Amino acid sequence: MKITTSLFLALLLCAFQSANNTRDKALTSLADAERNFSATSEAKGFHQAFVDNMAEDGLVFAPKPTHGKKLHAQAPESPMLLTWYPAYADISSSLDWGYTTGPYQLKLKPEDEKAAAAGFYLSVWRKQPDGQWKVAVDLGNSFSPGLLKEEAYQPLMANTKEKKAKGSKEDLLAKDVQPVQPYFDETLIYREGEYPYKYKDGVIEPASNVVYSNLGHELSPAADMAYTYGSYTQPTSKGEETGHYLKVWKVVDGQWKLVAHNLVPDRK
């Protein structure tokens, strides 16, 4: 009996390690796709990089949700240099859907020493039938280049205690527009002019007076991750602010929780 039990445990451990190795490889391939995206921007210009790396139905914000390939294919060539890299990345249990996020900088000319603009991007990726990763939706916020700092790559590890729970579309869309958003400690919060921070590190509670209007969504094939996007309004001391949002969600403890919440005001 002891031998049988030991053998069973050994086989279970091997299966667990194999599953983890498969996930790690898939997550590495996602992060590498993001790095290659930026390398293409350096080599061919950022417009061509978006043409090469956006999904056929991929969206960017200009400021409204816009067909990414078409927008960048029609844009004139630019001498500006846009570069970025992933600081965080996570992947669905289906291993064909995930997100990356990290700092970017824009130089007016490649040889410029200092960046003219900077911020944090948020991109959701899905694997295509041919095995390539392509961007499904992308939205970046901006802040002063002086706030830029080096970020170490931090892939999110699989939660081995979490059962493979699925979230429903109906619950996702209901939570997307509620005034108090379902944050948890690790939620990344992006606000214009500020360096992104985790909810656990925030010094004040995030605003609960934002009115969200959902314009679209997508769930991963495993229904354990999702994104939503749309427009928002928020009263401020300077009047009503309008803008667009992109949120990335994950099933945590059996419930949809925000892992990334990006609000970008429309430029006037």
Side-chain angles (χ1 to χ4, degrees):
M1 176 62 74
K2 288 183 179 179
I3 295 175
T4 304
T5 302
S6 299
L7 181 59
F8 173 75
L9 291 175
L11 290 172
L12 193 64
L13 180 61
C14 286
F16 174 76
Q17 290 174 335
S18 176
N20 268 3
N21 288 339
T22 301
R23 181 188 181 276
D24 290 346
K25 288 179 181 178
L27 186 53
T28 297
S29 74
L30 171 59
D32 285 344
E34 185 69 85
R35 296 183 186 102
N36 291 335
F37 187 4
S38 180
T40 303
S41 180
E42 287 192 71
K44 299 181 180 180
F46 68 90
H47 289 308
Q48 188 59 48
F50 274 84
V51 172
D52 290 352
N53 287 275
M54 295 294 298
E56 291 299 326
D57 60 347
L59 296 174
V60 295
F61 293 75
K64 295 180 179 180
T66 304
H67 190 281
K69 271 185 177 288
K70 190 177 296 183
L71 176 73
H72 285 280
Q74 294 173 349
E77 287 189 25
S78 172
M80 295 188 289
L81 175 63
L82 178 64
T83 56
W84 62 92
Y85 60 90
Y88 301 95
D90 198 3
I91 196 168
S92 165
S93 62
S94 58
L95 306 184
D96 56 3
W97 202 101
Y99 75 93
T100 56
T101 184
Y104 72 81
Q105 61 175 322
L106 178 71
K107 295 182 178 180
L108 299 180
K109 293 179 292 185
E111 63 270 22
D112 286 352
E113 217 172 286
K114 294 184 177 180
F120 237 73
Y121 72 87
L122 175 60
S123 299
V124 177
W125 296 72
R126 73 168 87 94
K127 190 171 281 190
Q128 305 301 296
D130 63 1
Q132 292 190 70
W133 287 103
K134 296 290 184 181
V135 178
V137 63
D138 174 87
L139 177 64
N141 78 330
S142 63
F143 47 72
S144 167
L147 295 178
L148 273 176
K149 58 184 179 182
E150 283 295 318
E151 291 277 2
Y153 174 55
Q154 300 178 58
L156 274 71
M157 298 295 102
N159 186 352
T160 56
K161 296 180 181 179
E162 183 80 42
K163 294 181 180 179
K164 291 185 178 179
K166 293 185 177 183
S168 73
K169 179 183 75 173
E170 292 75 20
D171 188 35
L172 173 72
L173 295 180
K175 288 187 173 180
D176 184 47
V177 297
Q178 66 186 32
V180 179
Q181 293 286 284
Y183 297 118
F184 72 119
D185 281 354
E186 299 302 313
T187 304
L188 276 168
I189 299 173
Y190 311 65
R191 295 296 181 265
E192 195 73 2
E194 300 179 22
Y195 201 89
Y197 59 92
K198 291 185 177 182
Y199 176 67
K200 64 183 179 183
D201 298 324
V203 293
I204 59 172
E205 284 296 309
S208 59
N209 61 348
V210 183
V211 178
Y212 300 99
S213 297
N214 181 275
L215 296 175
H217 68 280
E218 181 182 332
L219 277 69
S220 70
D224 58 349
M225 296 182 75
Y227 71 78
T228 55
Y229 68 91
S231 60
Y232 75 88
T233 60
Q234 181 182 19
T236 71
S237 59
K238 298 179 182 179
E240 187 175 73
E241 177 182 293
T242 62
H244 288 81
Y245 69 86
L246 173 62
K247 304 173 189 174
V248 179
W249 303 78
K250 186 175 182 178
V251 175
V252 179
D253 296 330
Q255 300 289 326
W256 285 118
K257 296 286 186 180
L258 270 175
V259 292
H261 187 190
N262 196 357
L263 290 185
V264 177
D266 295 336
R267 302 192 185 282
K268 297 179 180 178

